[in-house]
Amino acid sequence: MAVDKVLVVGGGITGSVLSLALTQRGVDVDLVEISPQWFGVGHGITLQGNALKALRSVGVLDKVLARAVPFDGLRLRQADGELITDLAVAHTGGPDLPATAGALRSDLQNALCDAVYAQGVHVRLGLTVERLEQSTGRVDVTFTDGSTGSYDLVVGADGIKSHMRSLIGITVEPRPVGMSIFRVVADRPAEMDGPEVYYGGPRYKAGYSPISPDKCYAYLLDENLDASLMGPSAPVSLLRERGEGYGGTWGRLIAALPDDTAVDYRWIESVLIDEPWYRGRTIVIGDAAHACPPLVAQGAAMCAEDAVVLAELLVGDDPVEVALKAFMARRMPRVRMVLENSLKLAEWEINPETPGAHPARLMTETLDALQAPA
C-alpha cells in the first residue's frame, strides 16, 4: 500500500468521500475542516448517476436516497410554462441506479458526516493547514492552532477558493463565467414530480427540482449583478424582480415565498488546473482543482469520482509518485471534457443566437460519454 497515513483538508463532499474511501481500505486518515461547525449549507444539489455510484461505493447511498428524490428525466418548458419536451437522462452510474437525484445539500452532508465519524476518521474542526514541509517520503504539517502532524500524503479538498492550492505552489485562480445564480429552498408544490427548466424568458433560464418529500430547490440564472449582493441573504424581492416573466409552477412558487425568505446569490465561477494537481506528496482534488458551471450538474459527481479513484490508486502496489501520475491520467480527460462542455453551454446560454448552438445535444453527448467508468 502506497500510504499508511493521509491528511485530508476540507470536509465537504470531496474530503468526506475520500476520507471514507481511504479508511475503508485500511488507511489512517485525519480530516481537518476550517468551519467550527460541520454541516452542509441548506440549498439543493443535483446528484447525477455517477455521483450516486460514488456514494454507494463508500456506503452512504441508502441514507442519502432515503431523503432525496430520484428521477430519470428532465422536462423543458417555455417561460410561460408551456411544455416543450420531456428528455430522458443517461444513467451515468449504471442501469441499476437512478439517472439523477435531487437532494438537500445538508441531508447529503449529514449522511457523509455521520459515516465519517462512524468509520473512525480523526476529525478536527475549526482549523486548517498553516505550513507544509516536504521531505523524502513525508509531509510535515503545522496547523493553524499550532499543532503538528506528519503524513505520507496531504490532500487539499477545500473547494473552489482553496487555500491549499496556493499553499502547495499552484497559482491558478477561479474566474467568473459571466452569469450568476439565485437559489432558494421552498415548500414543494404537489404537482412537482421532477426537475423542469424554463427557457425563453427575460433571463438565461429558470428551473427547479424536488429535493425531498416536502422541499424543492428553485433557481434563476442571470447576468452578473452588483458583487455586493453576493451571499446567502439576498432579498426575495430581487429574485421576484429578476424572475418576472416566468410563469407556470416556477412563477407560482416564487410568488408564494414568504417575504423574509433568504435567497442565496452568487456569481458562477470556474477553475481548471491545466497541469498536474500535485506537488511532491501534496495534491488538490475536487473543486480545488476543477470547478465547472452547473450547466450539466456534474460538480458533485466529478468531486466524488476524484475521491474514489484517488483512494483506489493509493492503496495499490505502486509508490505514491506513480499513483498520482496514474490518477492524473485517468481524471484529467474526463474532467476537462465536463468543464469545457459546461463552459460551452454557459456561453450558449449567454449568447443564444450563437451559430450552431445546440444545448440539448451537447448535454446529452456529455452525459452519454460519462456512462464510461471514471
Side-chain angles (χ1 to χ4, degrees), residues 234-362:
V236 70
S237 58
L238 179 62
L239 172 59
R240 291 197 182 108
E241 175 189 332
R242 302 299 294 179
E244 188 174 351
Y246 291 97
T249 299
W250 195 93
R252 292 191 294 273
L253 188 157
I254 300 303
L257 292 173
D259 290 340
D260 61 352
T261 300
V263 178
D264 189 89
Y265 175 74
R266 308 280 172 179
W267 287 7
I268 296 174
E269 296 181 303
S270 71
V271 67
L272 175 63
I273 301 173
D274 199 14
E275 57 184 309
W277 307 339
Y278 59 90
R279 299 291 185 271
R281 286 176 172 254
T282 61
I283 185 171
V284 292
I285 67 171
D287 281 349
H290 53 82
C292 58
L295 279 298
V296 192
Q298 273 289 313
M302 290 296 101
C303 290
E305 283 186 357
D306 273 4
V308 172
V309 172
L310 182 59
E312 172 193 321
L313 293 170
L314 288 173
V315 299
D317 296 329
D318 292 326
V320 169
E321 296 78 9
V322 176
L324 295 182
K325 287 181 181 179
F327 174 75
M328 290 303 307
R330 277 180 61 174
R331 295 304 296 156
M332 182 61 91
R334 190 171 173 98
V335 164
R336 188 192 303 278
M337 182 268 295
V338 170
L339 184 67
E340 289 180 351
N341 289 359
S342 297
L343 289 171
K344 178 63 70 176
L345 287 167
E347 179 185 331
W348 287 347
E349 295 283 2
I350 295 170
N351 304 291
E353 303 305 317
T354 301
H358 199 315
R361 181 176 62 201
L362 184 57

Side-chain angles (χ1 to χ4, degrees), residues 19-144:
S19 297
L20 289 170
L22 286 172
T23 305
Q24 290 164 2
R25 290 168 167 84
V27 178
D28 184 11
V29 177
D30 286 355
L31 184 151
V32 295
E33 163 57 44
I34 195 168
S35 173
Q37 294 181 302
W38 195 22
F39 54 83
V41 294
H43 58 76
I45 187 169
T46 299
L47 300 169
Q48 297 281 12
N50 50 329
L52 302 177
K53 181 179 180 180
L55 295 175
R56 181 175 62 185
S57 76
V58 295
V60 299
L61 180 61
D62 288 347
K63 187 169 182 180
V64 171
L65 288 182
R67 283 281 296 168
V69 181
F71 39 83
D72 291 329
L74 175 66
R75 192 172 293 130
L76 307 185
R77 294 190 180 276
Q78 300 284 3
D80 62 2
E82 182 181 352
L83 180 66
I84 300 173
T85 188
D86 280 295
L87 297 177
V89 177
H91 286 249
T92 55
D96 57 334
L97 287 172
T100 315
L104 192 62
R105 188 176 287 264
S106 56
D107 286 343
L108 170 61
Q109 190 63 53
N110 287 341
L112 288 168
C113 290
D114 290 347
V116 166
Y117 280 122
Q119 199 67 45
V121 176
H122 182 211
V123 178
R124 301 173 69 196
L125 302 179
L127 75 162
T128 189
V129 174
E130 185 172 286
R131 291 194 308 276
L132 296 163
E133 292 184 14
Q134 298 204 49
S135 57
T136 303
R138 304 296 295 172
V139 186
D140 294 317
V141 177
T142 301
F143 297 100
T144 49

